[in-house]
Amino acid sequence: MMDASNGSANFEEINSFFDSAPSLKDGEAIKRKVEEFLEGRANRVVCVTSGGTTVPLEQRCVRYIDNFSSGHRGAASTEYFLKAGYAVVFLYRRGTCQPYCRSLPDDPLLECFEVTNGSNVTVNPIHAKTVEGAIIDNHLAVTRGTLLKLPFTTIFEYLQILQLIALSMRSLGPSALFYLAAAVSDFYVPWESMTVHKIQSSSGPLDMRLAQVPKMLSVLRKDWAPLAFCISFKLETDTKILVDKANMALKKYNMDMVVANELLTRKEEVIVVTKGGNVIVQRDKTESGADVEDPLIKLIVDTHSSYITSKQIV
Amino acid sequence: MMDASNGSANFEEINSFFDSAPSLKDGEAIKRKVEEFLEGRANRVVCVTSGGTTVPLEQRCVRYIDNFSSGHRGAASTEYFLKAGYAVVFLYRRGTCQPYCRSLPDDPLLECFEVTNGSNVTVNPIHAKTVEGAIIDNHLAVTRGTLLKLPFTTIFEYLQILQLIALSMRSLGPSALFYLAAAVSDFYVPWESMTVHKIQSSSGPLDMRLAQVPKMLSVLRKDWAPLAFCISFKLETDTKILVDKANMALKKYNMDMVVANELLTRKEEVIVVTKGGNVIVQRDKTESGADVEDPLIKLIVDTHSSYITSKQIV
């Protein structure tokens, strides 16, 4: 079987994607932030990606295609990685769920605070513990320098920043971990073929042809950070094809692990697919509020430990 | 010129849109909320719509098309309508800007609060006034019963809830105002022709055909609330066609006013298009923090007053 991801075609596609992408705003400042965050770090570092990427349909963008993702998985996983002693680069979609904020309502400022005696603003006692926990834990992670947050919106920004992080983390060798939970667009409109102005609605149905986004996993694996431990995610709505698709991704992109999840049950269980076999990871149903990310990150941390040891022996 | 919006074709399209849409979750509860909010109200009521609608591409939705809109215009306008004595039904896209929260940072809980002496959570003095203002003003509007907030996400939810609000506001006659600032999708995939599962990315480029969303403005005007004062919005990125498009919408849908705005200058000025002529409304550039919604809502309130008077004389 011809595998485009291993041939030169894929690298040409990737080069052409980056060459034609709009240039990253504040690229130099982001690069500096990442380098400062990683400077002198000997311990393990994980790059957690989270939330969906957008695909603009017009250069002066009014419409775009989006991938549904609350960012809950990435935020929860970040908390457990921090707890396990990792430093975390959290590459997240603007507006999605933040670490330590998972239990807060949608609009915490308006929903958690109340006005007493006419003009005293206090936190509602029901939410007090959650609100204080969120603020304190986030504050600690940021001030201790173990959490760096970087936002993205479009597929272009996401892949440009991911490349920049990966090239900086390359020097960490096997201590670097990529946990690619973001919902990345499969299809996009190349910038140079995109209409400049808003598409007009007066002329009947709209026909669109979207190009495939080149798969960056292979270039991350081969070029950007070849020694890093790499975990990608596979989300499907059809359980019948889920594990097969995850296995294909594992082989095609030479991942160390693929986390397979199904849209409706993704908060209850995931299937961890590796070359050594598959493991079903479930949340602890006997404990209220327990989530699937807790046992998942434990499993990943152990597997990453073995990986680091194996690379040192070699 | 044949005008489809006046023919029966448009009503057939609209019926078919509603018939094939997934049924509105909590529709009965939303209807009750609106009726309770309006009960016994003799004064003016405005329905402000705000934010963009999504168009799902799959029934078990992973991908969707979205319309860019921060919801800033709708939130700001709601504040000025409340100040002018209107009761406001605020129909907004989940996660977009809320009234009184315009000056807050993206993630107010994490950005406005700080930890002092290890574990005391206090509001950062720089943000204190904004944070307290937001909480108090929102609290007052909600407890006084002058502000009802209703969230939507998809184009289906948006149009179903709008219909329900309009049918309830119909009895207010000319005291009802519709301020339709939401960025509504022009194209969609009809539910019955939508793929159930996630679209697979393995088979080359993706070709999509999107149908036109039937224009609801004409049915709102003719059927749902015939005596209401109706304002729609026209956003373009190309100034050359903006006013022509706004004039066409004014005539085609028999609006009382169309607010024309251009993507890049929309926070500086808008053009108010009416049958009597066009007025350019600009923000007061001599005052820092002044916005274009302040003079815009003043103009609308005056025009609405004349409209009510004219209907009473008749």
Side-chain angles (χ1 to χ4, degrees):
Chain A
M1 195 181 102
M2 165 71 187
D3 184 354
S5 71
N6 293 318
S8 59
N10 189 245
F11 286 94
E12 270 169 39
E13 266 174 54
I14 288 169
N15 286 339
S16 138
F17 178 89
F18 281 116
D19 287 346
S20 70
S23 69
L24 181 63
K25 222 184 128 201
D26 302 322
E28 279 307 309
I30 297 170
K31 199 175 164 198
R32 240 186 346 265
K33 266 193 196 172
V34 173
E35 281 168 0
E36 278 169 21
F37 183 76
L38 295 175
E39 205 179 320
R41 221 173 267 283
N43 277 353
R44 301 182 190 184
V45 178
V46 58
C47 171
V48 174
T49 70
S50 187
T53 64
T54 68
V55 167
L57 298 180
E58 298 129 341
Q59 286 189 7
R60 299 193 194 169
C61 180
V62 177
R63 301 190 184 88
Y64 54 91
I65 298 181
D66 205 342
N67 268 45
F68 165 76
S69 172
S70 65
H72 194 277
R73 174 94 73 213
S77 305
T78 294
E79 294 174 28
Y80 292 113
F81 277 121
L82 286 167
K83 205 173 161 189
Y86 282 68
V88 183
V89 180
F90 182 62
L91 179 59
Y92 70 98
R93 164 70 179 278
R94 269 185 196 85
T96 55
C97 187
Q98 293 296 296
Y100 307 113
C101 296
R102 290 182 282 148
S103 320
L104 293 172
D106 269 0
D107 216 330
L109 202 68
L110 299 184
E111 290 175 55
C112 297
F113 289 81
E114 51 185 21
V115 184
T116 51
N117 304 325
S119 67
N120 276 338
V121 172
T122 51
V123 59
N124 181 318
I126 300 169
H127 296 294
K129 224 178 135 186
T130 327
V131 167
E132 283 174 19
I135 296 169
I136 291 172
D137 290 338
N138 175 72
H139 176 84
L140 280 179
V142 172
T143 55
R144 280 179 186 154
T146 51
L147 175 59
L148 176 67
K149 296 187 186 183
L150 298 172
F152 67 83
T153 302
T154 67
I155 179 79
F156 303 110
E157 288 169 348
Y158 172 76
L159 290 173
Q160 285 166 327
I161 303 176
L162 182 64
Q163 179 185 37
L164 189 155
I165 294 169
L167 292 175
S168 293
M169 281 175 63
R170 178 194 181 99
S171 60
L172 295 165
S175 297
L177 172 56
F178 287 87
Y179 182 87
L180 305 165
V184 183
S185 317
D186 294 307
F187 302 102
Y188 80 119
V189 184
W191 192 256
E192 71 277 8
S193 72
M194 202 183 288
T195 167
V196 173
H197 287 297
K198 188 180 175 190
I199 298 164
Q200 293 300 312
S201 69
S202 42
S203 36
L206 175 64
D207 289 308
M208 276 199 300
R209 163 158 282 202
L210 300 171
Q212 273 195 282
V213 173
K215 299 294 180 186
M216 296 289 165
L217 293 179
S218 45
V219 74
L220 168 68
R221 166 89 289 167
K222 283 187 180 180
D223 268 19
W224 296 350
L227 289 173
F229 191 82
C230 290
I231 305 172
S232 72
F233 282 70
K234 182 56 81 182
L235 172 77
E236 291 293 341
T237 59
D238 187 351
T239 43
K240 289 196 292 290
I241 62 169
L242 177 61
V243 173
D244 279 354
K245 297 278 293 182
N247 260 310
M248 274 169 58
L250 188 79
K251 289 189 192 104
K252 188 167 179 185
Y253 309 118
N254 197 17
M255 292 288 101
D256 296 292
M257 191 182 271
V258 176
V259 180
N261 54 142
E262 195 269 317
L263 188 66
L264 292 175
T265 61
R266 71 194 189 283
K267 293 186 175 176
E268 296 298 317
E269 69 168 47
V270 296
I271 304 166
V272 170
V273 176
T274 64
K275 279 156 202 152
N278 305 346
V279 181
I280 297 178
V281 178
Q282 295 183 309
R283 71 177 192 90
D284 181 355
K285 282 170 189 140
T286 64
E287 206 186 312
S288 99
D291 51 44
V292 69
E293 288 81 9
D294 189 357
L296 174 63
I297 304 304
K298 282 202 180 93
L299 174 66
I300 289 172
V301 170
D302 287 347
T303 316
H304 189 205
S305 298
S306 310
Y307 178 81
I308 294 171
T309 312
S310 75
K311 292 285 168 186
Q312 282 163 342
I313 292 166
V314 173
Chain B
M1 194 182 100
M2 164 74 185
D3 184 352
S5 73
N6 292 320
S8 58
N10 189 245
F11 286 95
E12 269 169 37
E13 267 173 54
I14 288 169
N15 286 338
S16 139
F17 178 90
F18 281 117
D19 287 346
S20 70
S23 69
L24 181 63
K25 222 183 129 200
D26 303 322
E28 279 307 309
I30 297 169
K31 197 174 165 198
R32 240 185 347 264
K33 265 192 198 173
V34 174
E35 282 168 0
E36 278 169 22
F37 182 78
L38 295 176
E39 205 179 319
R41 220 174 269 282
N43 277 355
R44 301 181 191 184
V45 178
V46 59
C47 171
V48 174
T49 71
S50 187
T53 64
T54 69
V55 166
L57 298 180
E58 299 129 342
Q59 286 189 9
R60 299 195 195 167
C61 179
V62 177
R63 301 191 184 87
Y64 54 91
I65 299 181
D66 205 343
N67 269 43
F68 165 76
S69 171
S70 65
H72 194 278
R73 174 94 73 212
S77 304
T78 294
E79 295 174 29
Y80 292 113
F81 276 121
L82 286 167
K83 203 172 161 191
Y86 281 69
V88 183
V89 180
F90 183 61
L91 179 58
Y92 70 97
R93 164 72 179 276
R94 272 186 193 82
T96 55
C97 187
Q98 295 295 296
Y100 308 113
C101 296
R102 290 182 281 149
S103 320
L104 293 172
D106 269 0
D107 216 332
L109 201 68
L110 299 183
E111 290 174 55
C112 297
F113 290 80
E114 53 186 19
V115 183
T116 49
N117 304 325
S119 66
N120 276 338
V121 172
T122 51
V123 60
N124 181 319
I126 299 169
H127 296 294
K129 223 177 138 185
T130 327
V131 167
E132 283 173 21
I135 296 169
I136 292 172
D137 290 337
N138 176 73
H139 175 85
L140 281 179
V142 173
T143 55
R144 279 179 187 155
T146 50
L147 175 60
L148 175 67
K149 295 187 187 185
L150 297 172
F152 67 84
T153 302
T154 67
I155 178 80
F156 303 110
E157 289 169 348
Y158 172 78
L159 289 174
Q160 285 166 327
I161 303 176
L162 182 63
Q163 180 186 36
L164 189 157
I165 295 169
L167 292 175
S168 292
M169 281 175 63
R170 178 194 181 100
S171 60
L172 295 166
S175 296
L177 172 57
F178 286 87
Y179 182 87
L180 305 165
V184 182
S185 317
D186 294 307
F187 302 103
Y188 81 120
V189 184
W191 193 255
E192 71 277 8
S193 72
M194 201 184 291
T195 168
V196 173
H197 287 296
K198 188 182 173 188
I199 299 163
Q200 292 301 313
S201 67
S202 42
S203 37
L206 175 65
D207 289 308
M208 277 198 302
R209 165 159 281 203
L210 301 171
Q212 274 195 282
V213 173
K215 300 293 181 189
M216 296 288 166
L217 293 178
S218 46
V219 74
L220 168 69
R221 166 89 289 166
K222 284 187 180 181
D223 267 19
W224 296 349
L227 289 174
F229 191 83
C230 290
I231 305 171
S232 71
F233 281 69
K234 182 57 81 181
L235 172 76
E236 291 294 340
T237 60
D238 187 352
T239 43
K240 290 195 292 289
I241 61 171
L242 178 61
V243 172
D244 280 354
K245 298 276 294 181
N247 261 309
M248 274 168 59
L250 187 79
K251 289 189 194 104
K252 186 167 180 186
Y253 308 118
N254 197 17
M255 293 287 101
D256 296 292
M257 190 183 275
V258 176
V259 179
N261 52 144
E262 195 270 317
L263 189 65
L264 291 175
T265 60
R266 71 194 190 282
K267 293 186 176 178
E268 296 298 317
E269 69 168 48
V270 296
I271 305 165
V272 171
V273 176
T274 65
K275 280 157 203 152
N278 304 346
V279 181
I280 298 178
V281 178
Q282 296 183 309
R283 72 178 191 89
D284 181 353
K285 281 169 191 143
T286 63
E287 206 186 314
S288 99
D291 50 44
V292 68
E293 287 81 10
D294 189 357
L296 174 63
I297 305 305
K298 282 202 179 94
L299 173 65
I300 289 173
V301 170
D302 287 347
T303 317
H304 189 204
S305 299
S306 311
Y307 178 81
I308 294 171
T309 313
S310 75
K311 294 285 169 185
Q312 283 164 341
I313 294 167
V314 173

